[in-house]
């Protein structure tokens, strides 16, 4: 099969027409007249012709230059070039036949045409119109989100705490005995069964902020742990890191009481400069810019067209769950394309 015959049928779908040649009167809203002929560009030397149209040497040269050198190698002989232009012509004859049969009004063709038009509109409105991300925008975004790129080492712990101030020896001794028993229970659990350790903490911990959270301390730096719970706990956490999540500490004494710790997560220190994250950050800002511009422009289009939803009429539309499924007549509701689906932008 020649390369021309392998061309995507989207070329037909994307430019379906109501007539081959437009007339003077403008089409009504929702209708279109598109000239699909090669002769819409005047001049040139025809290399293949058929009723009402032709391909010129100039167009053929352009098509060949769009190919890679390896592909062009195939068309060095007259026979191969003839095969190619005849393929182009046969493709156009199929387009004419489709139009003669009125297939431009087929729901599938109309739906594909709409998708192609909206896709091209998006490129024209966003890719071609929006300025690139500036250095000032990059620097500002890096400063606002610096904690995403520069942060100290962090650990996540769950702890079981027994209140026994270091200065109160009468309370420390029995609390240490209890802590030892609870530590033995914890060591009997599967190392990565964090939920099991959490149930133990919820049942026995005496730290009111974390007990309802199954003892979870969330991610904190070692400095934060030392500040909030004491340097002994921070040092115990540092020693747990090399053996990985699930590791248990011994009984750790701090000024306020006794802790049994389990390491549940670890994040190494991060120190990325603006240059380190330039490409990713620029892409992220470009996505946000595209999404914001698209949302704002859609809002303008809605206002210009006086878009209105009749809630009363909409409420009367019955959704029959038992009706048989009909063949699809177009794209499903809610298929409006987004510049980047992962970016959420609040409409203005």
């Amino acid at each position: 099969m020649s390369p021309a015959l392998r061309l995507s049928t989207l070329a037909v779908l994307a430019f379906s027409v109501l007539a081959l040649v437009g007339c003077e009167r403008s089409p009504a809203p929702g209708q279109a007249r598109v000239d699909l002929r090669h002769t819409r560009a005047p001049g040139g030397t025809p290399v293949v012709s058929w009723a009402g149209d032709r391909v010129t040497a100039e167009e053929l040269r352009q098509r060949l230059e769009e190919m890679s050198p390896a592909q062009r190698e195939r068309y060095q002989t007259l026979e191969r070039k003839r095969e190619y232009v005849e393929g182009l012509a046969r493709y156009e004859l199929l387009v004419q036949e489709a139009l003669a049969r009125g297939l431009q009004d087929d729901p599938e063709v109309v739906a594909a045409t709409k998708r192609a038009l909206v896709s091209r509109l998006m490129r024209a409105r966003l890719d071609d119109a929006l300025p690139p991300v500036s250095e000032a925008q990059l620097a500002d975004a890096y400063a606002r989100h610096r904690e995403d790129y520069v942060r100290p080492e962090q650990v996540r712990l769950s702890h079981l705490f027994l209140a026994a101030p270091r200065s109160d020896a009468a309370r420390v001794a029995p609390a240490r005995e209890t802590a030892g028993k609870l530590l033995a229970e914890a060591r009997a659990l599967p190392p990565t069964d964090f939920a099991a350790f959490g149930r133990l903490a919820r049942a026995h911990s005496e730290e009111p902020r974390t007990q309802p959270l199954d003892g979870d301390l969330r991610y904190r730096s070692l400095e934060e742990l030392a500040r909030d719970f004491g340097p002994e706990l921070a040092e115990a956490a540092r020693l747990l890191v090399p053996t990985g999540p699930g590791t248990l500490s011994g009984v750790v004494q701090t000024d306020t009481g006794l802790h049994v710790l389990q390491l549940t997560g670890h994040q190494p220190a991060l120190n990325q400069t603006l240059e380190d994250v330039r490409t990713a950050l620029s892409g992220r800002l470009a996505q946000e810019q595209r999404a914001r511009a698209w949302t704002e422009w859609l809002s303008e289009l809605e206002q210009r067209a006086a878009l209105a939803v009749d809630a009363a009429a909409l409420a009367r539309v019955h959704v029959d769950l038992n009706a048989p499924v009909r063949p699809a007549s177009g794209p499903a509701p809610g298929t409006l394309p987004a510049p980047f689906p992962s970016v959420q932008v609040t409409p203005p």
Side-chain angles (χ1 to χ4, degrees), residues 209-284:
R209 293 169 298 177
T210 60
Q211 183 269 343
L213 304 176
D214 293 348
D216 188 11
L217 295 178
R218 309 300 190 192
Y219 273 105
R220 298 173 189 251
S221 68
L222 297 179
E223 291 77 10
E224 290 172 327
L225 287 172
R227 180 194 67 209
D228 297 339
F229 298 97
E232 300 90 350
L233 191 140
E235 176 62 15
R238 185 185 66 79
L239 295 175
L240 293 177
V241 169
T243 48
T247 307
L248 293 167
S249 71
V251 176
V252 179
Q253 172 80 63
T254 65
D255 287 342
T256 57
L258 302 169
H259 306 257
V260 174
L261 308 174
Q262 183 182 54
L263 181 70
T264 58
H266 174 247
Q267 292 179 344
L270 195 60
N271 187 21
Q272 295 178 301
T273 66
L274 176 57
E275 286 306 310
D276 293 331
V277 300
R278 173 180 296 277
T279 300
L281 183 57
S282 179
R284 170 181 164 184

Side-chain angles (χ1 to χ4, degrees), residues 121-142:
L121 176 64
M122 290 176 67
R123 294 202 307 274
R125 183 69 187 184
L126 301 178
D127 294 342
D128 302 340
L130 292 179
V133 175
S134 69
E135 285 297 317
Q137 289 174 305
L138 277 172
D140 176 67
Y142 179 81

Side-chain angles (χ1 to χ4, degrees), residues 108-193:
E108 181 182 351
V109 176
V110 172
T113 301
K114 289 180 178 180
R115 288 194 295 271
L117 288 171
V118 172
S119 177
R120 184 63 188 94
L121 176 64
M122 290 176 67
R123 294 202 307 274
R125 183 69 187 184
L126 301 178
D127 294 342
D128 302 340
L130 292 179
V133 175
S134 69
E135 285 297 317
Q137 289 174 305
L138 277 172
D140 176 67
Y142 179 81
R144 285 187 289 108
H145 301 282
R146 194 170 186 274
E147 65 276 7
D148 293 338
Y149 310 116
V150 179
R151 63 171 180 261
E153 177 185 25
Q154 293 185 318
V155 295
R156 187 171 186 175
L157 300 170
S158 288
H159 80 147
L160 192 161
F161 173 75
L162 299 179
R166 194 194 304 268
S167 59
D168 190 345
R171 293 181 62 183
V172 169
R176 183 175 294 277
E177 182 179 353
T178 302
K181 292 178 180 178
L182 293 172
L183 176 59
E185 288 187 43
R187 285 174 174 166
L189 300 172
T192 56
D193 190 349

